[in-house]
Amino acid sequence: MNDAFAQYQALYSQYRWLVPTRFNIAEACCRRWAENAAEARRIAVFAEEADGARDIWTFERLYQTANRLSHGLLRMGLQRGDRVAVILPQRGEALAAQFAIQQAGAVHVPLSPQLAPDALEARLRDSEAHIAIVDASSRITLATILHRCPALQQIIGIGFADEHTLAWRSLLARQEDRFTPVDTAATDPALLLYTAGTTGPPRGALHAHAALIGALPGFVAGQDWFPQGGDSLWSAFDWASPGGLLGGVLPTLYFGRPLLAAQGRITPARTLELLGRYRIRCAVLSPSLLAGLMQADIPLGAPLALRSIMCTGDPLDPAVNAWCARVLGVQPNEMFGQAETGFVLGNSRHKWPVRPGSLGLPIPGHRVEVIDEHGAPAATGEIGELAVHRLDPAGEPDPAMFLRYWGQDENATPAAWVRTGDLARRDADGYLWHEGRAEDVFRADGHRIGPGNIENWLRHHPAVAAAAIVPKPDAAHGAIVKAYVVLAPTYVGQAQSYLVEALQNHARERLAPYENPQEIEFVDTLPTSATGAIQRGVLRQRERDRAARRSRGVR
């Protein structure tokens, strides 16, 4: 253990960023490979549509498509710094679009085609995107809100065309496949990533081209020192999300390795099918998807080629972690990051000891602290807010950090510490443990309760597949601790009174008396976000609604 910690400490203390003055994401991920005769025809993307149709994108094809689109965008009036929305699922055209936008000096705005109409509208209006690139997956949604997005003047459609849309194929057919890219500084704006908007309006985090360099240490560590021979990657996360784009897609192409782009519903059975068919070596999977794989208990057939799994979202259930190691042959590396910061905390099982359920240790190159309400470092074991400094431990700018929120004064001096809104505590060895979002903390009978520690311990019981802790309004105590629990399949159908007693006894083994759930409700599923994070706010509102009905005498 001491040797392993010494290795981590050496990595962390010696790490230094090497950020060139001039840098462009499109150049680093596509152009430099495509213009090398020995690399141009290597596969960049294996693409599989929902109906099973397959396609292959070489670096050369990606490059030429991006070049044609860059010419087309400039002829449509694109200016340097303009925002272009790309509302596409996992497909080669999404990458070609991003590279076309960035090598033309504009800002790529990736948006999920799964967004509800009002959520998509909010992001389009906020970014003031003049051009959007879409396919059939978002065509109907966009049509319903188009009249409320006055800045959006032009739409490029892939696979369809109508009176409001310019066909992708027609636009590209008239353009040259060579393009002279705009010269960009590493600090120039390149990417506008939106926060999830679960606790308020979504905010656009504007990143520079250097954000790709900032993402590399977390990606390399999370994927057990990527790249290695024969490495390929599939991220089950939406490519519009930070976990999908900076946590998987762009770093993979930066290293010149192939990606899998898979459209359609990702079930446990299809997950195993994709991993096996494409001999995927490295994956980015959510804790909920890994839990679904364990619960489905599908025979693997031929052994998988997996050597690493990175997961992010809620903490991974200890039973799921053990199942992954036993059945998949890989212990997942849990990582933590946000749209503003990239992945700054995590595990890397071959470089430092993994503590399942923890957020891990600060990734080399990033300065992360648990701070109290006054902004000072919290004591070991005390709960505080996770914050990331804009300077690395050596005092140099951290390239992973966002430039500013979209709409903020670009000349304003940003705060040195970026508060994440997530609560955590640091143990004696420096590992960080998630204690929920700041808005998830509540008081019960005078005690300050963070859900993370309670949920983590409940998940250690074999009956618990997933758990969420929320306050239940109570006239005498203000609130009591309530647990929503999803049972493991082998415990479904057992007497609830027995299960409640068993879980409360389990809680008493480790938790303080005021943390023991006074009420437990068993549910089939917990509400989750697109990244698999539990939406405790939905459950808190459920309890408030029930309390209001009780006060009116309504059952």
Side-chain angles (χ1 to χ4, degrees), residues 160-219:
F160 72 95
D162 54 38
E163 65 274 17
H164 303 296
T165 306
L166 174 61
W168 168 281
R169 186 184 296 272
S170 300
L171 175 64
L172 267 60
R174 300 190 292 268
Q175 313 303 332
E176 300 175 11
D177 61 13
R178 303 291 297 180
F179 180 80
T180 302
V182 170
D183 181 38
T184 57
T187 53
D188 284 344
L191 183 63
L192 188 58
L193 289 174
Y194 275 89
T195 61
T198 54
T199 59
R203 305 185 74 181
L206 184 65
H207 284 273
H209 285 277
L212 170 57
I213 296 174
L216 295 180
F219 173 76

Side-chain angles (χ1 to χ4, degrees), residues 314-340:
D314 279 309
L316 191 63
D317 186 295
V320 177
N321 190 299
W323 178 86
C324 289
R326 185 179 69 256
V327 178
L328 301 182
V330 177
Q331 183 181 24
N333 288 319
E334 298 181 65
M335 307 293 288
F336 173 86
Q338 292 189 322
E340 296 93 335

Side-chain angles (χ1 to χ4, degrees), residues 274-409:
L274 291 170
L275 293 173
R277 178 185 305 136
Y278 292 96
R279 305 298 292 165
I280 297 297
R281 297 269 289 158
C282 308
V284 185
L285 306 174
S286 69
S288 58
L289 181 53
L290 289 170
L293 285 172
M294 182 184 77
Q295 292 163 11
D297 195 25
I298 302 169
L300 289 183
L304 299 177
L306 274 175
R307 72 164 188 85
S308 67
I309 298 174
M310 187 177 98
C311 68
T312 184
D314 279 309
L316 191 63
D317 186 295
V320 177
N321 190 299
W323 178 86
C324 289
R326 185 179 69 256
V327 178
L328 301 182
V330 177
Q331 183 181 24
N333 288 319
E334 298 181 65
M335 307 293 288
F336 173 86
Q338 292 189 322
E340 296 93 335
T341 66
F343 288 101
V344 293
L345 287 171
N347 293 283
S348 190
R349 63 194 176 113
H350 295 309
K351 296 295 181 179
W352 56 87
V354 171
R355 294 198 175 161
S358 78
L359 298 175
L361 297 166
I363 298 296
H366 306 296
R367 182 181 171 192
V368 186
E369 287 285 354
V370 177
I371 60 176
D372 63 20
E373 57 190 19
H374 304 296
T380 298
E382 287 189 4
I383 295 175
E385 185 175 2
L386 272 177
V388 188
H389 206 282
R390 287 189 171 274
L391 301 181
D392 71 2
E396 297 297 324
D398 183 342
M401 297 297 293
F402 75 127
L403 298 172
R404 64 182 183 278
Y405 287 113
W406 183 250
Q408 284 186 332
D409 182 359

